[in-house]
Amino acid sequence: MRSGRVRLDRTVVQGFYDRMRLVAPAAYGAIERDRADDPGRAFPETACGRLAGSLDAAGLRALGMWAHHWCVRFYDDDTRVGLRLVREIAGRTGLGWTVDEVRWMLDESYAAGAAAAHRFVLPRAAAAELPAGALSERRDGPAGDWWRQLAG
């Protein structure tokens, strides 16, 4: 993590990457199938929608984190399908987001920079699921007042 940020334990971060690696092949395949398909199709009828519907809360969080990572890192690609997936996951409640997951996504969002317009969609929704004050010990960072960014 960058200076001035809350550091996450390496084991925790490695656990995130391990979980994301489990869903990555299916997620990438679903995104590629949906890119070639009808963009107006209802989400549950898409490959991404079927994948999301097959996962439990932990799997859906891993899929969301992977899609968030992919979209904010590669925003210059055709990410409409990936962004739709992120928005759909962000719209789901009760997924059990952890403080560490939200912090990791925030760090990813800052690393992407301002050009990734949708970089706070999922972390903002996930943070709304956390108990009040869970992220309160750090309200600043190298990118400025991230608390204001997170609040919208």
Side-chain angles (χ1 to χ4, degrees):
M1 300 261 168
R2 279 158 272 305
S3 175
R5 302 294 300 272
V6 175
R7 284 196 171 273
L8 292 175
D9 181 87
R10 286 182 191 265
T11 305
V12 170
V13 173
Q14 186 60 52
F16 295 160
Y17 284 110
D18 291 346
R19 287 176 34 221
M20 287 187 293
R21 266 192 219 97
L22 292 175
V23 298
Y28 182 78
I31 285 173
E32 287 303 308
R33 283 189 300 282
D34 286 349
R35 285 172 74 173
D37 201 1
D38 175 13
R41 185 178 293 228
F43 183 74
E45 298 172 7
T46 65
C48 287
R50 287 188 300 276
L51 175 60
S54 73
L55 298 171
D56 63 7
L60 199 52
R61 287 193 325 269
L63 176 62
M65 291 171 69
W66 179 86
H68 169 77
H69 174 74
W70 184 77
C71 288
V72 301
R73 292 289 188 193
F74 305 109
Y75 61 88
D76 56 339
D77 287 349
D78 179 10
T79 59
R80 289 173 291 172
V81 172
L83 291 172
R84 183 179 186 190
L85 177 59
V86 167
R87 285 190 305 270
E88 289 287 337
I89 294 171
R92 307 223 178 158
T93 58
L95 293 180
W97 293 101
T98 68
V99 172
D100 287 341
E101 288 169 339
V102 173
R103 286 185 177 135
W104 180 84
M105 287 189 292
L106 285 168
D107 193 59
E108 289 287 299
S109 298
Y110 283 111
H118 304 286
R119 69 191 192 278
F120 288 105
V121 169
L122 192 55
R124 183 180 294 128
E129 299 271 323
L130 297 176
L135 294 173
S136 64
E137 78 264 0
R138 291 304 271 168
R139 293 183 184 226
D140 61 345
D145 182 2
W146 68 262
W147 198 256
R148 188 172 22 121
Q149 291 282 345
L150 189 58

